[in-house]
Amino acid sequence: MSDNKNKIFPLETSLKNSYMDKTKPLNHAKSGSNAIEHKKVTNSRLNGYNIFDKTGLPTPVIEQWRSTNITKDYKENYLIGDNKPKFDKQINEIFHCSVHGFDTNVFALLNGWYYSTPDKVLQTLDNGIIVGSLAVAQQKYPDLFDDYYNEIARPDSHGFNAINAAIFTDGLFIYVPDNVKSDKAVQLIKMVNRDDNIMINTRNLIILGENSRLSFLHCDDSINQHKGLLATNTEIFLKKDAQLDLYKLQNLNNNTTLVNSTFVKQDANSNLNVNVLTFNGGIIRNEFTIDLTEEGANADISGMYLMDDKQHVDNQVKVIHSAPNCTSSELFKGVLDDHASGVFNGYIYVARDAQQTMAFQKNANILMTSTASIDTMPFLEIYADDVKCSHGATVGQLDNDALFYLMQRGIKESDAKLLLMYAFVTEVTNKIGIDALRNSVDDMVKKRLRGDLSICDKCILQCSTPDLPVEFEIDMSKI
Amino acid sequence: MLLNIKDLHVSIDGKEILKGCNLGVNNGEVHAIMGPNGTGKSTLAAAITGREGYDITSGEIIYKGQDISELSPDIRANEGIFLSFQYPVEIPGVSITNFMRTAINAQREYRGEQPIAAGEFLKKMEEKKKLVDIQSKLTNRSVNEGFSGGEKKKNEIFQMAMLEPTFAVLDETDSGLDIDALKVVANGVNALRSENNAFVVITHYQRLLDYIVPDFVHVMYDGKIVKSGGKGLANELEEKGYDWIKEHVQNG
Ligand SMILES: Nc1ncnc2c1ncn2[C@@H]1O[C@H](COP(=O)(O)OP(=O)(O)OP(=O)(O)O)[C@@H](O)[C@H]1O
Ligand SMILES: [Mg+2]
């Protein structure tokens, strides 16, 4: 940290300058809004400023950032946040989702701002779910912000989360009332189309009432090749018996760094299923802090990453078992090629009262080259005595016996390798509960492995329209 | 001659395993290879199919008139060479159906043909599943994953039936099979036998040869075929064991 203090990164300077005028939050300046913010939002901005003043940006001298070094980004000049874009194009002109049979309620953030016509900025859907701009929701639903906003986010965890609290522009707000079970997924598309290096900070708040259910698909896309530094904080509350299926699809250009932190608080018997699908990106860091606060809560967190070139992926998963009889399982699998590097840091904490905890963790990796690397660090801290915990990490190459077996049946080496890599990650993709999404993710995995998945100029899901014949694209066993 | 192996020497990690093996197989023939454990039978199968790490230090493998020792395993397979593995490999995450469709299309692409139509493929699957009495619940599963020993062997023959090879090596396909499964496997092989293909059956037991009747029986010992004969040789081995062969070899 002291090293860090001595160095003054251009990004750090511009971040500090960006909030010098504390009377007018950055997002107000950029949106031209004079509305009064919710007191909690304003206070957490001030708190974020103060923390960031002390900590600055994280560097590898901090243990949790030991293997993920973003400092080269800190030397770049970035535009800090963009002005609020005018709604002059329909979402479907910028983005077109062509997955058949996959019908979602689509919401978009463009360059850090909620993107819609004014009448749709905060909507109540037919089933009673409230979805819209976080910046608007804080005015309309102050009670919910009193109860939930910044209750579980940790601006003190590192500089990105501090600065996020301070200068975020906008984000998505979702409130699912008690007993509402939505069968149509909510999809958030986060797009960046500025022709400059840009840093964007967004913030989401998701509240699922008792016995409610939601599927939420969170897509991070680049729609050009410009350098981006994207930071997001998401707070998620699952009340008693609620269930959230969260899918994160990440297909960003190789110049982009994504740092996203998700904080979840789970009440009794709630269920969380997470699937993080990382296809592309320069540096991607996914942080999860999941607190199982009441009995019977269950969290299933899985992830898949396919990295090549000099890409870097870092999954940090922290599960806190605070109450008895909760279960958690983590499964992260990935293939790293070329000079790609990865980090998996799984941390399970079992409090003294959390008897009968079941907590499992597995991280498996295939390294395709001797220059690819993975740093995997499972960590258990257990204070209860009646628990079942396990963890395991594997790093290996493709199975040569399997490779020969496939080739003996006529499949050429490159396809055989592809099939084995594909097979390796299906343990994760098979967990996707929405058939149409699972099938398109399957196609994307094959395309990605074949090198045909590019950063589309539209939505990533566009890629699942097979314009090229995808070998073994149809799983005949499903016919 | 379909396959002609001439004075083949094969080393693994610098250790010579095959020490001058000769074998000639014509279309329409079935050859059995017997011999004590560890004498090089599977090594011969590996050399024919092009497995990495099996270095051919001298000799030739002539198949359809061409030396194939430099060809990659997939090309050999697409030229019609098939191996029913002694130890089939488990491949989690790849369903048999998917695997077979990929393999058939690879074969078709090699021959410059169009990919197989879904309907035709499914029909073929049904037909061949019946042939080897294999259940759909098996073909929907991942390749060999959690299969019993017998199921794995049946699955090999099923794949052979799907791919219709010109030259197939069956490496101890009979071991681990119950009597009924043995008959099913043998029937599967017999159904595929024709004037345009050939089989090499590696086995330790004469019993299989009651069902798949070979034209020739060879004995492999210390990396060489040391004795060849008709079906009667298998009976003789069953009765007398291998000691007389060993003596025969040692006395030159
Ligand atoms: N990969 C390997 N590395 C080292 N030695 C090997 C390897 N594969 C085979 N061998 C050795 O080569 C010899 C021949 O093995 P092979 O598997 O061909 O025998 P086999 O005749 O098929 O025996 P079995 O009847 O038991 O199947 C054995 O001594 C074996 O230990
Ligand atoms: Mg053998």
Side-chain angles (χ1 to χ4, degrees):
Chain A
M1 289 270 276
S2 53
D3 276 12
N4 179 16
K5 280 242 165 94
N6 299 334
K7 264 187 233 138
I8 300 184
F9 295 112
L11 176 61
E12 225 160 66
T13 310
S14 41
L15 282 170
K16 286 180 181 171
N17 289 340
S18 75
Y19 60 70
M20 289 308 275
D21 182 5
K22 294 186 184 175
T23 58
K24 200 162 171 66
L26 180 72
N27 74 321
H28 278 44
K30 300 240 168 184
S31 66
S33 162
N34 283 316
I36 295 166
E37 275 198 328
H38 191 283
K39 214 172 82 226
K40 251 176 126 183
V41 177
T42 306
N43 287 343
S44 71
R45 286 190 191 280
L46 294 172
N47 181 40
Y49 298 147
N50 292 332
I51 295 170
F52 189 76
D53 263 343
K54 290 191 209 95
T55 62
L57 291 161
T59 63
V61 294
I62 303 172
E63 176 59 24
Q64 294 89 332
W65 290 80
R66 188 166 56 89
S67 304
T68 295
N69 188 348
I70 311 186
T71 53
K72 77 172 181 359
D73 286 345
Y74 303 166
K75 293 169 191 153
E76 303 276 338
N77 285 308
Y78 288 90
L79 180 70
I80 307 294
D82 193 15
N83 293 322
K84 187 170 180 166
K86 275 208 196 65
F87 188 88
D88 50 7
K89 275 191 194 118
Q90 293 298 320
I91 295 173
N92 61 13
E93 289 177 52
I94 308 175
F95 142 83
H96 175 62
C97 190
S98 59
V99 182
H100 298 291
F102 187 45
D103 190 16
T104 59
N105 285 308
V106 177
F107 305 90
L109 294 177
L110 180 61
N111 303 332
W113 294 94
Y114 191 78
Y115 190 68
S116 76
T117 51
D119 58 311
K120 297 241 166 90
V121 75
L122 190 61
Q123 306 174 62
T124 303
L125 307 178
D126 290 346
N127 51 22
I129 297 180
I130 301 164
V131 192
S133 154
L134 181 101
V136 175
Q138 60 169 321
Q139 292 152 28
K140 190 137 184 229
Y141 301 103
D143 294 356
L144 289 175
F145 277 70
D146 283 343
D147 290 348
Y148 297 106
Y149 185 81
N150 204 44
E151 287 296 314
I152 52 175
R154 292 291 302 270
D156 56 341
S157 51
H158 55 71
F160 275 107
N161 288 346
I163 199 68
N164 185 278
I167 67 167
F168 79 90
T169 43
D170 200 351
L172 192 71
F173 171 82
I174 306 177
Y175 177 72
V176 186
D178 290 354
N179 301 313
V180 169
K181 294 190 175 167
S182 167
D183 40 13
K184 195 165 167 180
V186 166
Q187 182 177 10
L188 172 65
I189 299 148
K190 280 163 57 189
M191 301 171 295
V192 181
N193 73 347
R194 281 291 307 219
D195 292 336
D196 313 89
N197 291 355
I198 185 167
M199 182 185 192
I200 291 171
N201 277 280
T202 54
R203 188 156 178 127
N204 310 309
L205 178 60
I206 299 170
I207 304 155
L208 269 70
E210 285 189 10
N211 193 36
S212 69
R213 181 166 183 176
L214 177 73
S215 294
F216 178 43
L217 173 59
H218 183 155
C219 303
D220 274 293
D221 303 282
S222 299
I223 54 183
N224 61 31
Q225 290 295 334
H226 282 279
K227 205 168 167 54
L229 183 47
L230 314 178
T232 306
N233 270 206
T234 302
E235 289 180 280
I236 298 174
F237 296 87
L238 303 184
K239 308 306 280 184
K240 188 167 157 286
D241 297 319
Q243 174 169 338
L244 175 68
D245 297 329
L246 170 64
Y247 304 100
K248 286 166 92 80
L249 264 69
Q250 302 171 330
N251 195 29
L252 295 156
N253 70 42
N254 282 1
N255 299 315
T256 290
T257 296
L258 170 70
V259 179
N260 75 96
S261 232
T262 304
F263 302 90
V264 188
K265 179 172 178 284
Q266 291 189 238
D267 292 354
N269 301 317
S270 62
N271 277 303
L272 172 72
N273 299 310
V274 180
N275 226 299
V276 193
L277 306 157
T278 307
F279 289 95
N280 270 301
I283 297 172
I284 291 189
R285 176 159 165 125
N286 298 307
E287 298 177 359
F288 290 90
T289 308
I290 296 159
D291 196 351
L292 306 170
T293 61
E294 290 179 0
E295 280 202 52
N298 170 49
D300 189 319
I301 312 111
S302 57
M304 171 216 79
Y305 39 93
L306 305 169
M307 312 309 276
D308 62 5
D309 203 349
K310 289 181 181 150
Q311 297 177 333
H312 179 80
V313 63
D314 178 353
N315 286 299
Q316 304 269 329
V317 184
K318 182 174 181 179
V319 179
I320 302 153
H321 283 261
S322 307
N325 284 309
C326 293
T327 57
S328 67
S329 70
E330 294 164 42
L331 174 69
F332 279 75
K333 292 182 98 169
V335 180
L336 299 140
D337 202 349
D338 302 332
H339 288 80
S341 53
V343 180
F344 176 76
N345 193 349
Y347 173 59
I348 297 171
Y349 177 93
V350 182
R352 206 149 58 102
D353 295 337
Q355 299 297 355
Q356 315 249 288
T357 286
M358 291 212 271
F360 308 109
Q361 188 185 82
K362 185 173 147 191
N363 173 232
N365 300 278
I366 288 180
L367 302 183
M368 298 299 290
T369 61
S370 59
T371 46
S373 65
I374 177 82
D375 190 352
T376 171
M377 298 166 280
F379 192 75
L380 309 180
E381 199 175 336
I382 300 169
Y383 296 103
D385 43 32
D386 183 12
V387 299
K388 268 201 192 116
C389 289
S390 73
H391 64 84
T394 61
V395 181
Q397 281 81 44
L398 285 184
D399 177 357
N400 273 327
D401 290 340
L403 193 61
F404 177 68
Y405 191 81
L406 295 174
M407 289 176 73
Q408 208 302 302
R409 302 308 189 232
I411 301 168
K412 63 172 178 277
E413 185 172 1
S414 54
D415 284 351
K417 283 186 173 169
L418 207 145
L419 191 48
L420 290 176
M421 288 189 264
Y422 164 76
F424 180 71
V425 296
T426 51
E427 195 182 351
V428 174
T429 54
N430 278 345
K431 287 176 174 256
I432 298 173
I434 304 168
D435 291 350
L437 179 62
R438 189 179 53 251
N439 292 339
S440 47
V441 165
D442 252 16
D443 277 358
M444 284 164 64
V445 169
K446 288 163 196 161
K447 286 196 164 193
R448 174 69 182 93
L449 293 170
R450 261 193 352 199
D452 289 344
L453 181 70
S454 56
I455 310 299
C456 300
D457 56 352
K458 291 178 180 170
C459 169
I460 175 175
L461 293 177
Q462 182 80 358
C463 298
S464 44
T465 311
D467 40 6
L468 290 160
V470 180
E471 250 160 294
F472 37 84
E473 89 194 90
I474 307 164
D475 189 348
M476 305 290 290
S477 62
K478 287 176 193 142
I479 293 176
Chain B
M1 201 170 273
L2 180 61
L3 179 82
N4 194 2
I5 292 175
K6 291 194 258 181
D7 191 29
L8 189 68
H9 291 253
V10 173
S11 298
I12 305 170
D13 290 332
K15 184 180 167 226
E16 185 160 77
I17 308 290
L18 292 190
K19 304 171 178 173
C21 182
N22 292 289
L23 180 69
V25 180
N26 289 305
N27 266 323
E29 293 176 351
V30 173
H31 292 240
I33 299 181
M34 306 183 79
N37 294 129
T39 51
K41 301 181 296 297
S42 296
T43 303
L44 178 63
I48 294 170
T49 49
R51 185 162 194 148
E52 214 177 89
Y54 291 74
D55 303 322
I56 297 177
T57 51
S58 70
E60 289 180 320
I61 306 174
I62 310 289
Y63 174 71
K64 293 183 185 167
Q66 263 190 27
D67 192 337
I68 57 166
S69 28
E70 295 297 320
L71 298 180
S72 64
D74 53 312
I75 303 232
R76 298 187 204 199
N78 287 324
E79 284 291 341
I81 295 178
F82 182 92
L83 172 62
S84 167
F85 284 72
Q86 183 174 0
Y87 305 110
V89 185
E90 301 196 5
I91 311 182
V94 179
S95 76
I96 293 183
T97 317
N98 241 335
F99 173 38
M100 277 298 99
R101 186 166 167 272
T102 308
I104 283 184
N105 282 339
Q107 197 180 58
R108 289 186 166 227
E109 189 187 328
Y110 183 79
R111 296 179 187 156
E113 296 167 4
Q114 291 297 308
I116 191 164
E120 192 188 337
F121 176 74
L122 290 179
K123 216 177 110 206
K124 190 166 184 160
M125 285 278 291
E126 286 313 311
E127 192 187 308
K128 305 301 182 187
K129 276 195 284 198
K130 262 199 209 104
L131 183 73
V132 294
D133 188 30
I134 201 167
Q135 254 115 57
S136 291
K137 66 175 197 288
L138 220 54
T139 49
N140 288 342
R141 275 163 55 183
S142 290
V143 177
N144 294 325
E145 194 185 24
F147 284 25
S148 74
E151 286 169 340
K152 283 182 183 170
K153 296 300 171 78
K154 270 195 186 180
N155 183 26
E156 295 293 291
I157 299 304
F158 167 71
Q159 293 175 43
M160 181 175 81
M162 288 295 288
L163 294 168
E164 298 170 346
T166 314
F167 177 77
V169 181
L170 275 54
D171 193 354
E172 297 197 24
T173 304
D174 54 336
S175 49
L177 290 182
D178 64 45
I179 303 273
D180 291 338
L182 185 75
K183 283 185 197 161
V184 167
V185 163
N187 287 341
V189 172
N190 290 331
L192 292 170
R193 276 177 84 163
S194 83
E195 283 311 303
N196 301 314
N197 60 24
F199 294 82
V200 168
V201 181
I202 297 171
T203 182
H204 287 295
Y205 308 105
Q206 173 265 332
R207 194 184 57 183
L208 176 72
L209 305 180
D210 289 342
Y211 298 104
I212 305 173
V213 182
D215 301 294
F216 301 95
V217 175
H218 309 277
V219 181
M220 181 168 272
Y221 183 72
D222 195 24
K224 277 185 232 172
I225 303 276
V226 293
K227 192 164 179 65
S228 298
K231 187 180 178 293
L233 180 56
N235 296 327
E236 204 174 343
L237 292 169
E238 185 86 8
E239 265 170 42
K240 302 205 280 187
Y242 288 111
D243 283 350
W244 64 283
I245 298 276
K246 290 177 193 171
E247 276 163 32
H248 168 81
V249 172
Q250 272 143 24
N251 301 335

